[in-house]
């Protein structure tokens, strides 16, 4: 599932490289933009986890020096999809998301949609790296809830198909998801047990002989 972000890691800086601390992908962000990024990062993961600007600058410079196309990095695109899933999670009335987690998602969304960005989406290759880094900081607190929500959506669709209705037209919330998941686990266990057993008599079936 695409919420496992370690499958497409974001670029990191070569610690031996020399960074131009004020330049990120050829841009010089103002202090207000820097403060905005650092504030959101600190709120999501604590001040000790705020990414250093010179590290971001070195990483983007290395990537831009190696990239042969203007397409955004796959890791950034993956985190953009993850952010869209988080938006759906925060807006799902049937899921009853914890207010504290909803606030974390709102922080991410407000930053990604804002104008004070270190690396706006329009920047070739590395545009969006700023909010992608923030997604990585936020995910340890959100990933379990997001995985559960995606499974909720899957089972809600299956239940709607069984009823011949649309997914959003049925009464299906967190409690109904838990019940459906438990029923699915029991069914899979039953199928597995049947697969291990045989319907034949222990003595074996009689052999057919052709005379």
């Amino acid at each position: 599932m695409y919420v496992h972000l370690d499958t497409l890691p974001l670029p990191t800086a070569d610690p031996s490289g020399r960074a131009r601390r004020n330049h990120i992908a050829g841009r010089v962000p103002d202090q207000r933009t820097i403060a905005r990024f650092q504030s959101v990062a600190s709120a999501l993961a604590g001040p000790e986890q705020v990414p250093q600007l010179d590290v971001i600058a070195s990483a983007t410079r290395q990537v831009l020096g190696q990239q042969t196309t203007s397409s955004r990095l796959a890791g950034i695109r993956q985190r953009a999809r993850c952010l869209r899933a988080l938006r759906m999670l925060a807006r799902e009335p049937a899921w009853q998301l914890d207010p504290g987690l909803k606030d974390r998602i709102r922080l991410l969304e407000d930053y990604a949609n804002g104008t004070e960005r270190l690396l706006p989406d329009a920047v070739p290759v590395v545009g969006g790296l700023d909010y992608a880094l923030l997604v990585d900081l936020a995910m340890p607190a959100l990933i379990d809830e997001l995985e559960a929500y995606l499974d909720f959506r899957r089972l809600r669709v299956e239940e709607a198909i069984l009823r011949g209705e649309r997914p959003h037209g049925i009464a299906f919330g967190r409690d109904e998801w838990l019940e459906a998941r438990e029923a699915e686990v029991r069914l899979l266990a039953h199928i597995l047990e049947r697969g291990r057993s045989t319907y034949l008599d222990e003595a074996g079936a009689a052999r057919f002989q052709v005379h």
Side-chain angles (χ1 to χ4, degrees):
M1 185 61 209
Y2 60 76
V3 296
H4 296 297
L5 302 180
D6 55 347
T7 60
L8 285 173
L10 294 174
T12 56
D14 180 357
S16 64
R18 296 171 57 189
R20 298 174 65 189
R21 299 175 68 94
N22 295 328
H23 291 71
I24 302 179
R27 298 167 53 86
V28 182
D30 58 36
Q31 288 302 311
R32 183 170 177 173
T33 298
I34 294 172
R36 171 68 173 150
F37 175 79
Q38 292 176 334
S39 173
V40 174
S42 180
L44 291 173
E48 68 283 353
Q49 296 297 323
V50 175
Q52 298 298 312
L53 293 183
D54 56 343
V55 174
I56 298 174
S58 293
T60 55
R61 188 174 65 254
Q62 291 174 25
V63 169
L64 291 172
Q66 299 168 359
Q67 193 81 356
T68 58
T69 70
S70 60
S71 300
R72 278 208 296 177
L73 289 176
I76 297 176
R77 296 197 304 270
Q78 182 191 41
R79 285 153 180 84
R81 293 192 296 271
C82 184
L83 182 55
R84 287 195 293 272
L86 288 171
R87 287 179 180 132
M88 291 190 297
L89 168 62
R91 288 168 169 73
E92 176 59 68
W95 188 245
Q96 300 174 343
L97 182 64
D98 178 88
L101 297 181
K102 188 175 292 188
D103 288 342
R104 296 174 71 84
I105 296 172
R106 188 178 295 111
L107 268 177
L108 278 172
E109 186 174 3
D110 288 348
Y111 179 85
N113 292 336
T115 57
E116 297 173 347
R117 296 270 307 277
L118 289 181
L119 288 163
D121 295 344
V123 176
V125 184
V126 293
L129 177 60
D130 51 349
Y131 75 70
L133 291 168
L134 295 177
V135 167
D136 277 8
L137 293 179
M139 282 308 291
L142 293 170
I143 190 168
D144 290 343
E145 194 74 11
L146 181 56
E147 288 279 16
Y149 172 67
L150 294 173
D151 189 59
F152 158 82
R153 286 174 58 89
R154 175 184 66 85
L155 288 174
R156 181 171 62 178
V157 168
E158 293 183 4
E159 182 67 21
I161 291 173
L162 291 174
R163 300 186 191 182
E165 301 180 32
R166 294 185 177 182
H168 289 281
I170 65 174
F172 194 90
R174 189 184 288 263
D175 291 341
E176 288 76 17
W177 165 70
L178 288 171
E179 293 176 3
R181 189 178 63 169
E182 291 174 1
E184 184 179 62
V185 169
R186 291 194 298 270
L187 176 61
L188 291 175
H190 174 74
I191 293 173
L192 180 61
E193 182 62 28
R194 283 296 187 183
R196 290 173 179 168
S197 63
T198 176
Y199 292 96
L200 299 177
D201 184 86
E202 292 184 359
R207 295 181 178 179
F208 289 97
Q209 297 183 356
V210 178
H211 299 283

